[in-house]
Amino acid sequence: ESLSRLFARCGRVQSVDVCEKPEPGEKKEKLTSKFFNLKTVTGFHIAYVVFRKPSGVQAAKALSQEGPLLISTESHPVKTGISKWIASYAASVVDLEELKAEVDAYMQDYDRKMAEEEAKAAKEEGVPDEEGWVKVTRKGRKPGLPRTEAANLRVLEREKQKRARKELLNFYAWQHRETKREHIAQLRKKFEEDKQRIALMRAQRKFRPY
């Protein structure tokens, strides 16, 4: 967000990608999930700023003559210290409704793809190719399976997937409660330690708040 704001004076910024090290070629497709397959980049960073128009690149090159760019200013301060910790903790709290919506959307897309594959396999079943070979699918291995039994198997599979999603959501809810409880316990412990340390410094006449 800060880099986008800084380089916006050069032109409209399309994206800012942060990496651990320089990468050749175009960056791979971004992960759209907020909860899964996320990797936090720590330490030294490499950032690729992509502009909507080539003129933005030329304007960015000219910025070196204006001196350093300040990420944290009075009008746009960057959170540090305890404010940053509080914001990071608030961002780490999982929204169960949003998580459930993402899992449901993923499973719906998965079911759609599986249905398309089954329809394609059923269409190709028994049809010889150019060389005369006949493709045998999973359905072809059970030619005597009644339609009602196959439908029942699909229903059971969907119920199994629903139970798996519910168990996953329950696990994340339990994990969130445990993490929050542990974090509160650590804060209380640190608060008591700080009180004892301040009391000791006052007793030794070494406490200088101002």
Side-chain angles (χ1 to χ4, degrees):
E1 182 180 356
S2 298
L3 291 176
S4 297
R5 176 176 53 81
L6 287 178
F7 286 98
R9 69 184 72 179
C10 303
R12 189 172 182 182
V13 177
Q14 177 175 323
S15 64
V16 177
D17 298 323
V18 180
C19 311
E20 292 181 337
K21 57 184 179 180
E23 298 180 354
E26 295 183 359
K27 189 175 178 62
K28 296 180 180 179
E29 183 180 357
K30 289 185 178 180
L31 298 174
T32 57
S33 174
K34 292 176 56 179
F35 308 100
F36 305 102
N37 300 325
L38 299 181
K39 184 178 180 182
T40 303
V41 180
T42 59
F44 189 78
H45 292 57
I46 295 293
Y48 290 92
V49 181
V50 182
F51 293 94
R52 289 290 181 91
K53 297 181 179 180
S55 58
V57 179
Q58 302 300 327
K61 291 180 179 179
L63 288 177
S64 60
Q65 302 175 3
E66 300 181 7
L69 301 179
L70 301 180
I71 291 181
S72 182
T73 60
E74 293 184 358
S75 58
H76 297 88
V78 175
K79 292 182 179 180
T80 58
I82 191 170
S83 298
K84 180 181 178 181
W85 298 341
I86 294 175
S88 298
Y89 174 74
S92 67
V93 177
V94 177
D95 186 341
L96 297 182
E97 292 297 329
E98 191 175 358
L99 173 61
K100 181 178 182 301
E102 179 172 327
V103 173
D104 290 342
Y106 175 84
M107 293 307 302
Q108 289 176 3
D109 184 64
Y110 175 80
D111 293 340
R112 179 183 58 79
K113 291 180 180 179
M114 292 298 297
E116 291 177 355
E117 291 180 2
E118 290 180 0
K120 182 179 179 181
K123 185 177 180 180
E124 295 177 353
E125 184 178 355
V127 179
D129 58 12
E130 296 178 355
E131 298 180 358
W133 293 93
V134 177
K135 183 178 180 181
V136 180
T137 62
R138 287 184 298 176
K139 288 186 176 182
R141 296 173 189 164
K142 298 181 180 180
L145 187 65
R147 291 181 178 273
T148 55
E149 186 176 350
N152 291 336
L153 289 176
R154 287 195 295 270
V155 172
L156 291 176
E157 182 64 23
R158 284 196 293 268
E159 291 296 330
K160 183 179 178 181
Q161 293 175 358
K162 290 181 180 179
R163 287 196 299 269
R165 291 199 298 268
K166 186 175 180 180
E167 292 175 359
L168 178 63
L169 292 175
N170 291 337
F171 169 75
Y172 277 109
W174 172 83
Q175 187 181 46
H176 169 62
R177 289 194 299 268
E178 292 296 320
T179 302
K180 188 174 182 179
R181 187 179 295 110
E182 182 180 354
H183 182 71
I184 292 175
Q186 292 177 355
L187 289 178
R188 288 177 177 172
K189 180 180 179 181
K190 188 177 184 303
F191 178 72
E192 293 297 330
E193 291 176 352
D194 291 342
K195 284 176 58 179
Q196 295 177 5
R197 184 168 62 252
I198 292 174
L200 179 61
M201 294 174 66
R202 283 177 173 170
Q204 297 176 351
R205 299 182 181 278
K206 294 182 179 180
F207 183 62
R208 300 289 188 273
Y210 304 104

